[in-house]
Amino acid sequence: MFKPAIIFAVILSVMVMAVSCLVTFLGLSQGAKVDSQTALTLPYRGTVHSMKIIDLTGDGVNDLFVQTDNQVMVYDNNQQVVIDQSYQSPLATTMGDLDGNGREDILVFYGPATNTRASVFLNGAFATEVRIDNTADASRAAIIPFVGQRLGILGDTNGNLVAIDQNGQVVWQASLSSGDYIRGLDDARVNGEVFVAVANHDGTVGLFDANGQQRWSYQLSGALRRMRAFDLNGDGTSEILLGGDGGTLVVLDGGTGQPIFTKSLGQTIVEIREAELNGEPSSREIVVGGRSNGVWGIDLAGNILWSGTASARVSQISLLDVDANGSEDVLVGDESGKVTLFRADNGSSNSIQTFGGAVERMDIGNFTASGQTAIASAGNVTVLKVNYTQLGFMRFVPLLIGLFVSLAIFVAAGFIASIPPKPDLRISVTEQSREALIAQRRMLKESIADVERLRSLGNVTPEAYLARLKDLRHQLAENEASILKAGIKINVETRSCPNCGGTLMLGADKCEYCGQVVLH
């Protein structure tokens, strides 16, 4: 017959092994290690508002572009400063091929309403600067590759748009709305044709063609925080992604401006990126970051694929395929200075590095080596490499731990089961005082009387009655012997059965234990 300790050990071990198998075979354990190695750091002044690893000098090697409150800097591949220009704030910058020669250029829009200007750098060198009239303060800039004409689009703080060519000449002017600032500019495609998507902080969104004509307008409920344009399903028409202060994610059809879906995420949306999360290249997914630490992976149907939590308000999101499996893992920088990697398939997280201030900007590219990540924080751009190491057998560690824990449970259960049962509490009648012996005799006789009473009431089984009575009578006999040994005169009330040795009370003519007739 199994002892209770063994039965309990079996049940507990089954539970431990079930959890171990679940963690192991569902891939919940860390079968790989993700860490980072710093390659170099570069200084900057102020707060970084734009940063990108990109070839701006036309030598075929990437540079590092950094824009702060009133400064534009470009570091080359040897970490030498090739552009360091100060501007009057407010300042907005963008990069793109403005002159159509296949090389990236820089467009700077800066200054207050009384003196807004546009500065153009072509092939890594200053080309021209012009005054932009009839505008409010500088707010946004973008280079849009319209078919047949590449234009720089400038947006101010009063909802106005100005399009200029590579020489700084104004091509057209338009207005999206008034009284608030242009929050977003992005190139969008409709059936392959290039347009510019424009968003105002007041929630107004519009699509403009190469001639400055507005094709459609959409009004977001509440203030707008972020706008992006991506062709997520590869059909030649972009989806316009909007993030609102009220926590609503809206995805519009780029051709009509009509919503594809609306999703409430419960917190202000501060960043939106496209990503390949499921490894299926025919469509792309969306990654969203929130003011209250939330991070979500969402598909084009509006389904949440996974959700996670950063350490603080999300400030930046970049994409990095750390294990080269075709899916893009999500690198999130937050205002606490922590950078966290969320895995593409399930959103599980790995801490990468923590900096001394808020993560202001991030970008991924080949600067001094392939696959580097540039992170701007606390006055320095840190360029690091995120490393992924497959640990192989380590994914089975939870299973091994379960086996060891189960073995330990069985060893402990075996030890407990081997402990002999605790003997019944008996009254010692040796080495006691005369008064104690007399008191014990009285107590024993009262206990015998109680057992007899329980029997007469039918509250005890015959087997239990005889077992308890045999023990009490034996203790009474020992008590009487000790009393007599102590020289105390008493009338002995017990005797032994000559057949079985069981203790009987005087006057009994039959042993209750063996049934033997006892002669007086």
Side-chain angles (χ1 to χ4, degrees), residues 49-320:
H49 298 282
S50 179
M51 181 179 70
K52 192 169 183 61
I53 298 174
I54 190 171
D55 180 12
L56 293 172
T57 56
D59 60 359
V61 180
N62 282 341
D63 310 296
L64 179 66
F65 173 87
V66 180
Q67 178 230 314
T68 63
D69 307 282
N70 56 5
Q71 178 191 28
V72 171
M73 297 181 66
V74 175
Y75 287 94
D76 67 12
N77 184 254
N78 296 315
Q79 301 103 62
Q80 299 299 310
V81 177
V82 294
I83 296 176
D84 187 353
Q85 181 67 47
S86 296
Y87 293 93
Q88 185 179 12
S89 62
L91 171 64
T93 60
T94 189
M95 288 146 285
D97 183 8
L98 185 57
D99 58 3
N101 67 352
R103 298 176 180 177
E104 299 292 327
D105 306 309
I106 302 173
L107 174 62
V108 181
F109 182 38
Y110 71 95
T114 56
N115 189 31
T116 52
R117 294 177 175 272
S119 183
V120 178
F121 290 77
L122 302 177
N123 302 315
F126 174 78
T128 187
E129 180 172 291
V130 295
R131 181 185 175 98
I132 307 296
D133 296 321
N134 303 318
T135 62
D137 296 356
S139 179
R140 280 289 188 275
I143 294 176
I144 307 298
F146 293 113
V147 176
Q149 188 176 30
R150 296 171 178 268
L151 297 176
I153 307 297
L154 311 176
D156 70 10
T157 56
N158 197 33
N160 298 311
L161 301 173
V162 178
I164 64 172
D165 61 17
Q166 68 184 66
N167 299 313
Q169 298 300 308
V170 174
V171 177
W172 53 259
Q173 290 183 294
S175 177
L176 175 65
S177 63
S178 62
D180 212 338
Y181 62 95
I182 297 297
R183 181 68 185 179
L185 293 170
D186 208 349
D187 60 292
R189 284 164 173 74
V190 178
N191 298 322
E193 184 180 352
V194 179
F195 294 79
V196 58
V198 186
N200 194 303
H201 179 254
D202 65 9
T204 306
V205 183
L207 189 77
F208 290 79
D209 63 17
N211 299 313
Q213 299 300 308
Q214 186 171 350
R215 294 299 183 92
W216 54 255
S217 178
Y218 175 84
Q219 186 64 49
L220 181 70
S221 177
L224 183 142
R225 177 65 55 173
R226 188 69 65 203
M227 183 204 73
R228 304 287 187 192
F230 305 113
D231 183 4
L232 297 173
N233 56 11
D235 64 353
T237 296
S238 298
E239 284 72 44
I240 312 299
L241 284 57
L242 310 177
D245 276 356
T248 301
L249 173 68
V250 179
V251 177
L252 305 178
D253 177 271
T256 63
Q258 296 301 307
I260 297 174
F261 74 81
T262 299
K263 191 82 172 178
S264 178
L265 298 177
Q267 56 185 273
T268 298
I269 295 170
V270 296
E271 186 58 290
I272 306 172
R273 295 290 181 183
E274 66 163 343
E276 182 51 63
L277 298 179
N278 59 10
E280 174 51 57
S282 62
S283 65
R284 304 276 288 176
E285 289 72 51
I286 307 165
V287 179
V288 179
R291 180 191 290 271
S292 299
N293 311 6
V295 183
W296 297 267
I298 303 173
D299 66 16
L300 189 52
N303 301 309
I304 295 179
L305 305 178
W306 51 259
S307 62
T309 304
S311 297
R313 169 180 170 167
V314 173
S315 55
Q316 285 289 290
I317 295 176
S318 294
L319 291 310
L320 177 65

Side-chain angles (χ1 to χ4, degrees), residues 403-463:
L403 289 172
F404 282 121
V405 171
S406 298
L407 179 61
I409 291 172
F410 275 110
V411 170
F415 175 75
I416 294 172
S418 67
I419 299 175
K422 184 178 181 180
D424 293 336
L425 180 64
R426 299 180 63 86
I427 300 173
S428 175
V429 294
T430 61
E431 302 297 332
Q432 297 189 55
S433 67
R434 294 161 60 94
E435 292 78 8
L437 290 171
I438 295 300
Q440 288 173 356
R441 185 167 186 263
R442 186 183 307 112
M443 184 182 66
L444 288 168
K445 291 173 71 175
E446 290 174 355
S447 297
I448 291 172
D450 289 340
V451 173
E452 294 284 2
R453 184 170 61 256
L454 290 173
R455 181 192 183 195
S456 65
L457 294 174
N459 293 336
V460 65
T461 63
E463 294 80 6

